[in-house]
Amino acid sequence: MADEEEVVDEEPEVAQVGSGDSEAGLSPVEAEKPLAPPKYEVRPQLGHKFQARNVKAIILSTMKEQLTDRQYRADQAPRWAKIISNAVRQRVQDLDMKRYKILVQTTLLEMKGAGFKCGQRCIWDPETDYYADELFRNDTIFCHTVVYGVYMY
C-alpha cells in the first residue's frame, strides 16, 4: 500500500507543478494580445531600389584604381579580375541595399585589335532587379565589369 500511495501522490504533483508554471509564466496581457501578421516584402520600399548610378561610379573608380598605368600581363590578369570583382562587390554591399543579392562579373582582356562581344541572359523581375556595367580601356587592357542586383523575396 505504501508503494501505491507514493505513486498516486507523485502523479498529481507533477501535473500541478506543470500547470502552475504555465499559468504563472503568462500574464493576462500577453494571453489576450493578438499576434501581428507577418510582414512580407515583395517589392523594395521607395528609395531602396538598386542604385545603378552609384554602382556605375563604384565600378569605374575601382577599375581605374587597379588598372591605371598597368600593362596587360597574362599571368596577372586573373588576379586583377578577382581583386576588381571583390572590391566592387564589397563597396556595393556597403551601399546597404537591403535584400539585394549582389553578383559581380569582371572580364579582363588584352587589347590586340580584336572585337569583343558579350551576351547575358537572366531570369528576373524587371521591376526590382537591375544591373550596371562599365568599361575601362588603356593601350593594352580592356576591362568590362557588370554588377547584377537581384532582389531576394
Side-chain angles (χ1 to χ4, degrees), residues 39-98:
K39 296 180 181 179
Y40 298 106
E41 294 183 26
V42 181
R43 301 276 181 249
Q45 297 174 359
L46 189 62
H48 291 281
K49 283 194 164 191
F50 188 77
Q51 303 170 17
R53 185 174 295 173
N54 294 341
V55 172
K56 281 185 171 233
I58 288 171
I59 294 169
L60 192 57
S61 67
T62 304
M63 287 192 298
K64 283 182 179 179
E65 288 170 8
Q66 293 297 321
L67 300 175
T68 301
D69 299 328
R70 288 198 177 175
Q71 299 297 315
Y72 182 83
R73 290 180 46 193
D75 61 328
Q76 293 294 316
R79 189 173 72 86
W80 294 340
K82 285 181 185 177
I83 290 170
I84 291 168
S85 293
N86 290 336
V88 167
R89 186 184 69 235
Q90 185 59 49
R91 290 175 67 184
V92 169
Q93 286 175 341
D94 290 343
L95 292 176
D96 197 32
M97 291 182 280
K98 294 181 180 171

Side-chain angles (χ1 to χ4, degrees), residues 82-133:
K82 285 181 185 177
I83 290 170
I84 291 168
S85 293
N86 290 336
V88 167
R89 186 184 69 235
Q90 185 59 49
R91 290 175 67 184
V92 169
Q93 286 175 341
D94 290 343
L95 292 176
D96 197 32
M97 291 182 280
K98 294 181 180 171
R99 299 184 64 133
Y100 272 95
K101 173 77 171 176
I102 304 299
L103 303 135
V104 182
Q105 177 184 9
T106 299
T107 306
L108 198 98
L109 302 169
E110 183 177 11
M111 292 279 284
K112 285 191 167 182
F116 172 70
K117 292 185 180 183
C118 180
Q120 299 147 1
R121 287 185 172 199
C122 299
I123 297 174
W124 66 12
D125 184 354
E127 293 180 17
T128 59
D129 305 336
Y130 206 74
Y131 76 96
D133 67 330

